[in-house]
Amino acid sequence: CIIFGIKMKQNKLYTKNEIGWEQYNEIVDRAVTAEKLAYQSVTTDKVADKAIAFDKLSNNIQKILTFAIQHFGIVTFKDEEAETICVTNWDTNGDGLLTKEEISAVTNIGEVFRNTGITSFDELNNFTNLTSIPEYAFEGCGSLRSINIPSGVTSIGVGAFSRCYIISTINIPSGVVNIAERTFEDCSRLTTIILPEGVTSIGQYAFQGCRGITAITIPEGVTSIGYHTFYDCTSLTTIMLPKSVKSIDQGAFANCSE
């Protein structure tokens, strides 16, 4: 059986290692070229018919590329800058692409995204061996709107998302137990944050300046709330505190909505 020129063996696709990237590229180029030739063979002069043929061409090429990407484990990125950063740092074979295999080998992303102009990074969830978001990893990413933290992450470092001004929602994996100092400081448009049940400590300034948050539930097990933790959360009107909280430091909820 052959699909888009890719031979099958016992109903399974050959892997990229078995056919090589050169043959992979040849397969995709051949399939795309065939679609273009089919489009060029349309002989009608009617604009509507040409438009239909062009839409068919575009859809078929998209299907070809999607098929190839899925079966060769290539990770695609919505944001060009995020892709450039990832390829620059973790493209181990130098082919200009990133596979899930290459990404899954990464255990520390460092500060390579700090103060960059990335707008989305949902592809972070492909970093399956990542267990922590380092200190200041995404600090100053003022254009970041969307990010998907891998489920295996158990700690988020100091200032990891501080000054991500326009992000509105961040998923915190269930395994996270500590919200460090300044983690989400000045995420002024952050409106939705759900703290996992396993969280036991929240550092000072952790949510300072998160002016879009209207409600927060502190998980059972948290024993203290640090200095200025929710300072200047001007829209915060509902706070659910567990019995486990024994101390609330100065200014923890100062300048919040009355």
Side-chain angles (χ1 to χ4, degrees):
C1 176
I2 297 178
I3 301 177
F4 294 139
I6 304 176
K7 293 182 179 179
M8 305 281 284
K9 60 168 185 179
Q10 296 178 351
N11 296 322
K12 291 185 178 181
L13 286 167
Y14 282 101
T15 67
K16 67 178 180 64
N17 293 325
E18 290 172 313
I19 71 168
W21 282 113
E22 184 176 349
Q23 187 176 348
Y24 159 75
N25 289 328
E26 180 184 345
I27 288 167
V28 175
D29 287 343
R30 186 164 66 243
V32 171
T33 298
E35 288 297 328
K36 288 181 178 179
L37 288 173
Y39 169 68
Q40 291 169 1
S41 68
V42 177
T43 56
T44 181
D45 291 329
K46 294 181 179 180
V47 174
D49 290 343
K50 277 286 189 181
I52 292 171
F54 182 78
D55 287 342
K56 182 179 179 181
L57 166 70
S58 300
N59 289 335
N60 286 347
I61 289 177
Q62 184 61 48
K63 288 178 182 178
I64 291 168
L65 296 178
T66 300
F67 178 88
I69 287 167
Q70 288 174 343
H71 289 281
F72 286 87
I74 302 169
V75 176
T76 57
F77 294 81
K78 294 179 182 178
D79 184 272
E80 185 175 344
E81 186 173 359
E83 179 177 17
T84 299
I85 293 170
C86 288
V87 170
T88 299
N89 286 276
W90 301 299
D91 174 21
T92 56
N93 63 5
D95 62 1
L97 299 168
L98 275 181
T99 64
K100 290 184 178 180
E101 182 180 0
E102 288 173 316
I103 286 180
S104 65
V106 179
T107 57
N108 186 358
I109 61 172
E111 295 183 13
V112 295
F113 297 97
R114 186 179 186 182
N115 290 319
T116 60
I118 63 172
T119 58
S120 68
F121 193 29
D122 292 335
E123 301 80 12
L124 181 62
N125 69 344
N126 289 294
F127 289 68
T128 53
N129 278 324
L130 205 63
T131 58
S132 66
I133 304 297
E135 294 183 0
Y136 304 107
F138 297 97
E139 190 262 345
C141 292
S143 299
L144 184 63
R145 293 180 178 275
S146 175
I147 194 165
N148 197 345
I149 302 173
S151 59
V153 167
T154 57
S155 67
I156 300 176
V158 173
F161 295 99
S162 63
R163 297 195 299 116
C164 290
Y165 299 119
I166 64 174
I167 198 162
S168 60
T169 303
I170 298 179
N171 67 304
I172 301 178
S174 59
V176 172
V177 297
N178 175 50
I179 306 296
E181 297 177 13
R182 303 185 186 276
T183 300
F184 301 103
E185 182 181 26
D186 288 333
C187 292
S188 53
R189 293 192 189 178
L190 187 64
T191 58
T192 304
I193 193 81
I194 299 175
L195 301 180
E197 292 182 3
V199 169
T200 57
S201 63
I202 304 174
Q204 57 186 8
Y205 308 105
F207 294 96
Q208 176 173 284
C210 292
R211 298 178 178 177
I213 295 177
T214 58
I216 191 81
T217 298
I218 309 298
E220 186 70 43
V222 173
T223 58
S224 64
I225 298 175
Y227 179 78
H228 277 211
T229 297
F230 295 96
Y231 175 80
D232 204 27
C233 292
T234 53
S235 299
L236 185 60
T237 57
T238 304
I239 304 162
M240 301 296 292
L241 293 176
K243 294 179 180 179
S244 58
V245 172
K246 304 301 181 184
S247 65
I248 298 176
D249 289 350
Q250 182 181 356
F253 296 98
N255 205 33
C256 291
S257 173
E258 297 181 359

